Amino acid sequence: MSHTSRQKDKLIARVRRIKGQLEGIERALDSDAACVEVLRQIASVRGAVNGLTAEVMEDHLRQHVLAVETDRERNQGGEEMIEVIRAYMK
């Protein structure tokens, strides 16, 4: 079982909040809100996405690197994390 399955409800709730924030940005743009307000909302979404990313990354490291039984599993989990970090940093 994936660690995201164990926390599925919590993660989905975070995604739904982010979706609501994105819809708020769309409404602000549609209503010609001030640039500074739109930028604040964008920054808020960015922070929420970064928080979600950090949580899933941490869970991956704990479950697929630190808590595994074999070096092979540890190496695989570490390599997966490296791939994600490289993609995230682009």
Side-chain angles (χ1 to χ4, degrees):
M1 174 185 347
S2 170
H3 57 90
T4 55
S5 295
R6 289 192 291 269
Q7 296 189 60
K8 183 167 44 175
D9 292 340
K10 180 179 169 186
L11 295 172
I12 288 174
R14 288 183 80 155
V15 169
R16 288 183 177 148
R17 281 192 298 277
I18 292 167
K19 187 181 353 179
Q21 289 174 305
L22 286 168
E23 290 168 353
I25 293 170
E26 182 179 8
R27 286 189 301 275
L29 291 169
D30 193 44
S31 68
D32 295 324
C35 294
V36 71
E37 179 56 33
V38 174
L39 289 169
R40 281 188 188 117
Q41 289 180 0
I42 291 169
S44 187
V45 169
R46 181 179 174 195
V49 170
N50 285 341
L52 176 63
T53 302
E55 183 171 345
V56 175
M57 284 181 170
E58 177 183 344
D59 290 345
H60 177 85
L61 287 170
R62 291 186 186 283
Q63 296 296 320
H64 299 285
V65 178
L66 299 176
V68 296
E69 296 181 12
T70 67
D71 286 339
R72 183 182 168 282
E73 291 174 302
R74 185 172 293 103
N75 288 335
Q76 180 180 346
E79 289 298 325
E80 290 168 348
M81 196 73 246
I82 289 167
E83 279 183 44
V84 169
I85 290 169
R86 286 184 191 275
Y88 184 74
M89 299 302 288
K90 285 186 177 183

PDB file of all heavy atoms in Angstrom, residues 52-79:
ATOM      1  N   LEU A  52       2.109  20.977   0.376  1.00  0.00           N
ATOM      2  CA  LEU A  52       1.646  19.653  -0.038  1.00  0.00           C
ATOM      3  C   LEU A  52       2.806  18.830  -0.579  1.00  0.00           C
ATOM      4  O   LEU A  52       2.977  17.665  -0.228  1.00  0.00           O
ATOM      5  CB  LEU A  52       0.538  19.793  -1.090  1.00  0.00           C
ATOM      6  CG  LEU A  52       0.016  18.499  -1.702  1.00  0.00           C
ATOM      7  CD1 LEU A  52      -0.634  17.606  -0.644  1.00  0.00           C
ATOM      8  CD2 LEU A  52      -0.970  18.824  -2.814  1.00  0.00           C
ATOM      9  N   THR A  53       3.624  19.458  -1.410  1.00  0.00           N
ATOM     10  CA  THR A  53       4.789  18.778  -1.981  1.00  0.00           C
ATOM     11  C   THR A  53       5.730  18.315  -0.877  1.00  0.00           C
ATOM     12  O   THR A  53       6.184  17.167  -0.874  1.00  0.00           O
ATOM     13  CB  THR A  53       5.533  19.711  -2.958  1.00  0.00           C
ATOM     14  OG1 THR A  53       4.639  20.117  -3.988  1.00  0.00           O
ATOM     15  CG2 THR A  53       6.738  19.022  -3.573  1.00  0.00           C
ATOM     16  N   ALA A  54       6.009  19.183   0.062  1.00  0.00           N
ATOM     17  CA  ALA A  54       6.911  18.840   1.162  1.00  0.00           C
ATOM     18  C   ALA A  54       6.357  17.676   1.976  1.00  0.00           C
ATOM     19  O   ALA A  54       7.106  16.773   2.377  1.00  0.00           O
ATOM     20  CB  ALA A  54       7.145  20.054   2.050  1.00  0.00           C
ATOM     21  N   GLU A  55       5.061  17.677   2.214  1.00  0.00           N
ATOM     22  CA  GLU A  55       4.463  16.600   2.998  1.00  0.00           C
ATOM     23  C   GLU A  55       4.585  15.256   2.288  1.00  0.00           C
ATOM     24  O   GLU A  55       4.962  14.244   2.893  1.00  0.00           O
ATOM     25  CB  GLU A  55       2.996  16.899   3.293  1.00  0.00           C
ATOM     26  CG  GLU A  55       2.358  15.846   4.173  1.00  0.00           C
ATOM     27  CD  GLU A  55       0.982  16.237   4.658  1.00  0.00           C
ATOM     28  OE1 GLU A  55       0.604  17.411   4.572  1.00  0.00           O
ATOM     29  OE2 GLU A  55       0.288  15.341   5.147  1.00  0.00           O
ATOM     30  N   VAL A  56       4.280  15.234   0.992  1.00  0.00           N
ATOM     31  CA  VAL A  56       4.365  13.979   0.246  1.00  0.00           C
ATOM     32  C   VAL A  56       5.822  13.531   0.121  1.00  0.00           C
ATOM     33  O   VAL A  56       6.135  12.341   0.250  1.00  0.00           O
ATOM     34  CB  VAL A  56       3.672  14.096  -1.135  1.00  0.00           C
ATOM     35  CG1 VAL A  56       3.868  12.829  -1.954  1.00  0.00           C
ATOM     36  CG2 VAL A  56       2.182  14.380  -0.955  1.00  0.00           C
ATOM     37  N   MET A  57       6.737  14.486  -0.093  1.00  0.00           N
ATOM     38  CA  MET A  57       8.165  14.131  -0.151  1.00  0.00           C
ATOM     39  C   MET A  57       8.631  13.543   1.181  1.00  0.00           C
ATOM     40  O   MET A  57       9.333  12.530   1.205  1.00  0.00           O
ATOM     41  CB  MET A  57       9.012  15.363  -0.492  1.00  0.00           C
ATOM     42  CG  MET A  57       8.971  15.770  -1.921  1.00  0.00           C
ATOM     43  SD  MET A  57      10.040  17.222  -2.146  1.00  0.00           S
ATOM     44  CE  MET A  57      10.088  17.345  -3.914  1.00  0.00           C
ATOM     45  N   GLU A  58       8.254  14.180   2.278  1.00  0.00           N
ATOM     46  CA  GLU A  58       8.657  13.678   3.595  1.00  0.00           C
ATOM     47  C   GLU A  58       8.118  12.268   3.820  1.00  0.00           C
ATOM     48  O   GLU A  58       8.843  11.376   4.281  1.00  0.00           O
ATOM     49  CB  GLU A  58       8.149  14.609   4.695  1.00  0.00           C
ATOM     50  CG  GLU A  58       8.484  14.103   6.083  1.00  0.00           C
ATOM     51  CD  GLU A  58       7.934  14.979   7.194  1.00  0.00           C
ATOM     52  OE1 GLU A  58       7.541  16.136   6.940  1.00  0.00           O
ATOM     53  OE2 GLU A  58       7.897  14.488   8.337  1.00  0.00           O
ATOM     54  N   ASP A  59       6.847  12.072   3.499  1.00  0.00           N
ATOM     55  CA  ASP A  59       6.256  10.746   3.671  1.00  0.00           C
ATOM     56  C   ASP A  59       6.976   9.707   2.820  1.00  0.00           C
ATOM     57  O   ASP A  59       7.216   8.588   3.265  1.00  0.00           O
ATOM     58  CB  ASP A  59       4.766  10.767   3.316  1.00  0.00           C
ATOM     59  CG  ASP A  59       3.939  11.545   4.324  1.00  0.00           C
ATOM     60  OD1 ASP A  59       4.427  11.822   5.431  1.00  0.00           O
ATOM     61  OD2 ASP A  59       2.789  11.892   3.983  1.00  0.00           O
ATOM     62  N   HIS A  60       7.341  10.091   1.592  1.00  0.00           N
ATOM     63  CA  HIS A  60       8.070   9.171   0.720  1.00  0.00           C
ATOM     64  C   HIS A  60       9.410   8.792   1.359  1.00  0.00           C
ATOM     65  O   HIS A  60       9.765   7.615   1.418  1.00  0.00           O
ATOM     66  CB  HIS A  60       8.308   9.779  -0.663  1.00  0.00           C
ATOM     67  CG  HIS A  60       9.122   8.897  -1.558  1.00  0.00           C
ATOM     68  ND1 HIS A  60       8.555   7.897  -2.296  1.00  0.00           N
ATOM     69  CD2 HIS A  60      10.458   8.848  -1.792  1.00  0.00           C
ATOM     70  CE1 HIS A  60       9.524   7.262  -2.962  1.00  0.00           C
ATOM     71  NE2 HIS A  60      10.685   7.830  -2.672  1.00  0.00           N
ATOM     72  N   LEU A  61      10.132   9.790   1.828  1.00  0.00           N
ATOM     73  CA  LEU A  61      11.432   9.511   2.451  1.00  0.00           C
ATOM     74  C   LEU A  61      11.277   8.612   3.677  1.00  0.00           C
ATOM     75  O   LEU A  61      12.053   7.667   3.863  1.00  0.00           O
ATOM     76  CB  LEU A  61      12.131  10.815   2.841  1.00  0.00           C
ATOM     77  CG  LEU A  61      12.703  11.614   1.676  1.00  0.00           C
ATOM     78  CD1 LEU A  61      13.158  12.986   2.155  1.00  0.00           C
ATOM     79  CD2 LEU A  61      13.847  10.871   1.021  1.00  0.00           C
ATOM     80  N   ARG A  62      10.292   8.904   4.500  1.00  0.00           N
ATOM     81  CA  ARG A  62      10.100   8.092   5.710  1.00  0.00           C
ATOM     82  C   ARG A  62       9.707   6.655   5.378  1.00  0.00           C
ATOM     83  O   ARG A  62      10.202   5.709   5.994  1.00  0.00           O
ATOM     84  CB  ARG A  62       9.049   8.722   6.624  1.00  0.00           C
ATOM     85  CG  ARG A  62       9.518  10.013   7.248  1.00  0.00           C
ATOM     86  CD  ARG A  62       8.509  10.542   8.269  1.00  0.00           C
ATOM     87  NE  ARG A  62       8.908  11.833   8.758  1.00  0.00           N
ATOM     88  CZ  ARG A  62       9.860  12.043   9.657  1.00  0.00           C
ATOM     89  NH1 ARG A  62      10.528  11.012  10.144  1.00  0.00           N
ATOM     90  NH2 ARG A  62      10.152  13.264  10.057  1.00  0.00           N
ATOM     91  N   GLN A  63       8.809   6.482   4.402  1.00  0.00           N
ATOM     92  CA  GLN A  63       8.289   5.153   4.101  1.00  0.00           C
ATOM     93  C   GLN A  63       9.146   4.355   3.120  1.00  0.00           C
ATOM     94  O   GLN A  63       9.186   3.133   3.200  1.00  0.00           O
ATOM     95  CB  GLN A  63       6.864   5.269   3.538  1.00  0.00           C
ATOM     96  CG  GLN A  63       5.877   5.836   4.518  1.00  0.00           C
ATOM     97  CD  GLN A  63       5.692   4.948   5.735  1.00  0.00           C
ATOM     98  OE1 GLN A  63       5.647   3.733   5.627  1.00  0.00           O
ATOM     99  NE2 GLN A  63       5.608   5.562   6.907  1.00  0.00           N
ATOM    100  N   HIS A  64       9.785   5.031   2.176  1.00  0.00           N
ATOM    101  CA  HIS A  64      10.468   4.320   1.091  1.00  0.00           C
ATOM    102  C   HIS A  64      11.989   4.440   1.137  1.00  0.00           C
ATOM    103  O   HIS A  64      12.666   3.901   0.265  1.00  0.00           O
ATOM    104  CB  HIS A  64       9.952   4.803  -0.265  1.00  0.00           C
ATOM    105  CG  HIS A  64       8.485   4.554  -0.441  1.00  0.00           C
ATOM    106  ND1 HIS A  64       7.967   3.309  -0.690  1.00  0.00           N
ATOM    107  CD2 HIS A  64       7.432   5.398  -0.362  1.00  0.00           C
ATOM    108  CE1 HIS A  64       6.648   3.388  -0.783  1.00  0.00           C
ATOM    109  NE2 HIS A  64       6.300   4.649  -0.587  1.00  0.00           N
ATOM    110  N   VAL A  65      12.510   5.158   2.138  1.00  0.00           N
ATOM    111  CA  VAL A  65      13.963   5.242   2.294  1.00  0.00           C
ATOM    112  C   VAL A  65      14.344   4.841   3.725  1.00  0.00           C
ATOM    113  O   VAL A  65      15.159   3.951   3.927  1.00  0.00           O
ATOM    114  CB  VAL A  65      14.501   6.651   1.949  1.00  0.00           C
ATOM    115  CG1 VAL A  65      15.998   6.736   2.169  1.00  0.00           C
ATOM    116  CG2 VAL A  65      14.156   7.019   0.494  1.00  0.00           C
ATOM    117  N   LEU A  66      13.761   5.481   4.713  1.00  0.00           N
ATOM    118  CA  LEU A  66      14.159   5.246   6.097  1.00  0.00           C
ATOM    119  C   LEU A  66      13.586   3.950   6.688  1.00  0.00           C
ATOM    120  O   LEU A  66      14.257   3.299   7.487  1.00  0.00           O
ATOM    121  CB  LEU A  66      13.744   6.429   6.974  1.00  0.00           C
ATOM    122  CG  LEU A  66      14.373   7.778   6.608  1.00  0.00           C
ATOM    123  CD1 LEU A  66      13.809   8.868   7.498  1.00  0.00           C
ATOM    124  CD2 LEU A  66      15.886   7.707   6.722  1.00  0.00           C
ATOM    125  N   ALA A  67      12.367   3.594   6.308  1.00  0.00           N
ATOM    126  CA  ALA A  67      11.693   2.474   6.967  1.00  0.00           C
ATOM    127  C   ALA A  67      11.698   1.178   6.162  1.00  0.00           C
ATOM    128  O   ALA A  67      10.920   0.276   6.447  1.00  0.00           O
ATOM    129  CB  ALA A  67      10.252   2.874   7.296  1.00  0.00           C
ATOM    130  N   VAL A  68      12.553   1.078   5.174  1.00  0.00           N
ATOM    131  CA  VAL A  68      12.573  -0.140   4.358  1.00  0.00           C
ATOM    132  C   VAL A  68      13.550  -1.153   4.947  1.00  0.00           C
ATOM    133  O   VAL A  68      14.409  -0.821   5.759  1.00  0.00           O
ATOM    134  CB  VAL A  68      12.927   0.171   2.886  1.00  0.00           C
ATOM    135  CG1 VAL A  68      11.852   1.029   2.266  1.00  0.00           C
ATOM    136  CG2 VAL A  68      14.281   0.829   2.769  1.00  0.00           C
ATOM    137  N   GLU A  69      13.405  -2.382   4.499  1.00  0.00           N
ATOM    138  CA  GLU A  69      14.190  -3.466   5.080  1.00  0.00           C
ATOM    139  C   GLU A  69      15.472  -3.778   4.323  1.00  0.00           C
ATOM    140  O   GLU A  69      16.396  -4.337   4.899  1.00  0.00           O
ATOM    141  CB  GLU A  69      13.323  -4.714   5.176  1.00  0.00           C
ATOM    142  CG  GLU A  69      12.154  -4.526   6.132  1.00  0.00           C
ATOM    143  CD  GLU A  69      11.301  -5.767   6.248  1.00  0.00           C
ATOM    144  OE1 GLU A  69      11.721  -6.841   5.778  1.00  0.00           O
ATOM    145  OE2 GLU A  69      10.207  -5.649   6.812  1.00  0.00           O
ATOM    146  N   THR A  70      15.525  -3.435   3.038  1.00  0.00           N
ATOM    147  CA  THR A  70      16.703  -3.825   2.262  1.00  0.00           C
ATOM    148  C   THR A  70      17.383  -2.610   1.643  1.00  0.00           C
ATOM    149  O   THR A  70      16.755  -1.568   1.425  1.00  0.00           O
ATOM    150  CB  THR A  70      16.326  -4.799   1.120  1.00  0.00           C
ATOM    151  OG1 THR A  70      15.526  -4.102   0.157  1.00  0.00           O
ATOM    152  CG2 THR A  70      15.561  -6.010   1.648  1.00  0.00           C
ATOM    153  N   ASP A  71      18.655  -2.767   1.367  1.00  0.00           N
ATOM    154  CA  ASP A  71      19.396  -1.703   0.685  1.00  0.00           C
ATOM    155  C   ASP A  71      18.818  -1.440  -0.696  1.00  0.00           C
ATOM    156  O   ASP A  71      18.789  -0.299  -1.154  1.00  0.00           O
ATOM    157  CB  ASP A  71      20.876  -2.076   0.563  1.00  0.00           C
ATOM    158  CG  ASP A  71      21.609  -1.970   1.882  1.00  0.00           C
ATOM    159  OD1 ASP A  71      21.115  -1.259   2.784  1.00  0.00           O
ATOM    160  OD2 ASP A  71      22.681  -2.591   2.005  1.00  0.00           O
ATOM    161  N   ARG A  72      18.369  -2.492  -1.367  1.00  0.00           N
ATOM    162  CA  ARG A  72      17.776  -2.338  -2.702  1.00  0.00           C
ATOM    163  C   ARG A  72      16.558  -1.421  -2.647  1.00  0.00           C
ATOM    164  O   ARG A  72      16.416  -0.500  -3.447  1.00  0.00           O
ATOM    165  CB  ARG A  72      17.388  -3.707  -3.260  1.00  0.00           C
ATOM    166  CG  ARG A  72      16.824  -3.656  -4.664  1.00  0.00           C
ATOM    167  CD  ARG A  72      16.421  -5.068  -5.137  1.00  0.00           C
ATOM    168  NE  ARG A  72      15.642  -5.013  -6.340  1.00  0.00           N
ATOM    169  CZ  ARG A  72      14.340  -4.699  -6.386  1.00  0.00           C
ATOM    170  NH1 ARG A  72      13.682  -4.429  -5.293  1.00  0.00           N
ATOM    171  NH2 ARG A  72      13.700  -4.663  -7.545  1.00  0.00           N
ATOM    172  N   GLU A  73      15.663  -1.652  -1.681  1.00  0.00           N
ATOM    173  CA  GLU A  73      14.480  -0.795  -1.524  1.00  0.00           C
ATOM    174  C   GLU A  73      14.887   0.634  -1.174  1.00  0.00           C
ATOM    175  O   GLU A  73      14.302   1.595  -1.675  1.00  0.00           O
ATOM    176  CB  GLU A  73      13.574  -1.337  -0.418  1.00  0.00           C
ATOM    177  CG  GLU A  73      12.885  -2.636  -0.750  1.00  0.00           C
ATOM    178  CD  GLU A  73      12.127  -3.186   0.443  1.00  0.00           C
ATOM    179  OE1 GLU A  73      12.759  -3.412   1.501  1.00  0.00           O
ATOM    180  OE2 GLU A  73      10.894  -3.356   0.313  1.00  0.00           O
ATOM    181  N   ARG A  74      15.875   0.762  -0.309  1.00  0.00           N
ATOM    182  CA  ARG A  74      16.357   2.093   0.102  1.00  0.00           C
ATOM    183  C   ARG A  74      16.918   2.845  -1.105  1.00  0.00           C
ATOM    184  O   ARG A  74      16.631   4.022  -1.314  1.00  0.00           O
ATOM    185  CB  ARG A  74      17.415   1.957   1.194  1.00  0.00           C
ATOM    186  CG  ARG A  74      17.881   3.276   1.768  1.00  0.00           C
ATOM    187  CD  ARG A  74      18.781   3.083   2.983  1.00  0.00           C
ATOM    188  NE  ARG A  74      18.025   2.509   4.101  1.00  0.00           N
ATOM    189  CZ  ARG A  74      18.079   1.217   4.485  1.00  0.00           C
ATOM    190  NH1 ARG A  74      18.880   0.370   3.887  1.00  0.00           N
ATOM    191  NH2 ARG A  74      17.349   0.780   5.489  1.00  0.00           N
ATOM    192  N   ASN A  75      17.739   2.158  -1.903  1.00  0.00           N
ATOM    193  CA  ASN A  75      18.304   2.789  -3.097  1.00  0.00           C
ATOM    194  C   ASN A  75      17.218   3.177  -4.085  1.00  0.00           C
ATOM    195  O   ASN A  75      17.253   4.267  -4.667  1.00  0.00           O
ATOM    196  CB  ASN A  75      19.327   1.866  -3.763  1.00  0.00           C
ATOM    197  CG  ASN A  75      20.610   1.763  -2.976  1.00  0.00           C
ATOM    198  OD1 ASN A  75      20.958   2.662  -2.224  1.00  0.00           O
ATOM    199  ND2 ASN A  75      21.315   0.659  -3.139  1.00  0.00           N
ATOM    200  N   GLN A  76      16.243   2.294  -4.279  1.00  0.00           N
ATOM    201  CA  GLN A  76      15.150   2.598  -5.204  1.00  0.00           C
ATOM    202  C   GLN A  76      14.362   3.820  -4.721  1.00  0.00           C
ATOM    203  O   GLN A  76      14.073   4.732  -5.494  1.00  0.00           O
ATOM    204  CB  GLN A  76      14.213   1.404  -5.351  1.00  0.00           C
ATOM    205  CG  GLN A  76      13.058   1.680  -6.308  1.00  0.00           C
ATOM    206  CD  GLN A  76      12.119   0.493  -6.453  1.00  0.00           C
ATOM    207  OE1 GLN A  76      12.440  -0.617  -6.048  1.00  0.00           O
ATOM    208  NE2 GLN A  76      10.970   0.733  -7.023  1.00  0.00           N
ATOM    209  N   GLY A  77      14.023   3.852  -3.430  1.00  0.00           N
ATOM    210  CA  GLY A  77      13.292   4.990  -2.872  1.00  0.00           C
ATOM    211  C   GLY A  77      14.085   6.280  -2.982  1.00  0.00           C
ATOM    212  O   GLY A  77      13.538   7.338  -3.286  1.00  0.00           O
ATOM    213  N   GLY A  78      15.392   6.190  -2.756  1.00  0.00           N
ATOM    214  CA  GLY A  78      16.249   7.369  -2.878  1.00  0.00           C
ATOM    215  C   GLY A  78      16.336   7.866  -4.307  1.00  0.00           C
ATOM    216  O   GLY A  78      16.260   9.072  -4.562  1.00  0.00           O
ATOM    217  N   GLU A  79      16.476   6.943  -5.242  1.00  0.00           N
ATOM    218  CA  GLU A  79      16.541   7.326  -6.657  1.00  0.00           C
ATOM    219  C   GLU A  79      15.232   7.962  -7.113  1.00  0.00           C
ATOM    220  O   GLU A  79      15.238   8.941  -7.870  1.00  0.00           O
ATOM    221  CB  GLU A  79      16.888   6.123  -7.529  1.00  0.00           C
ATOM    222  CG  GLU A  79      18.317   5.643  -7.389  1.00  0.00           C
ATOM    223  CD  GLU A  79      19.343   6.682  -7.804  1.00  0.00           C
ATOM    224  OE1 GLU A  79      19.088   7.459  -8.750  1.00  0.00           O
ATOM    225  OE2 GLU A  79      20.419   6.722  -7.173  1.00  0.00           O
TER     226      GLU A  79
END
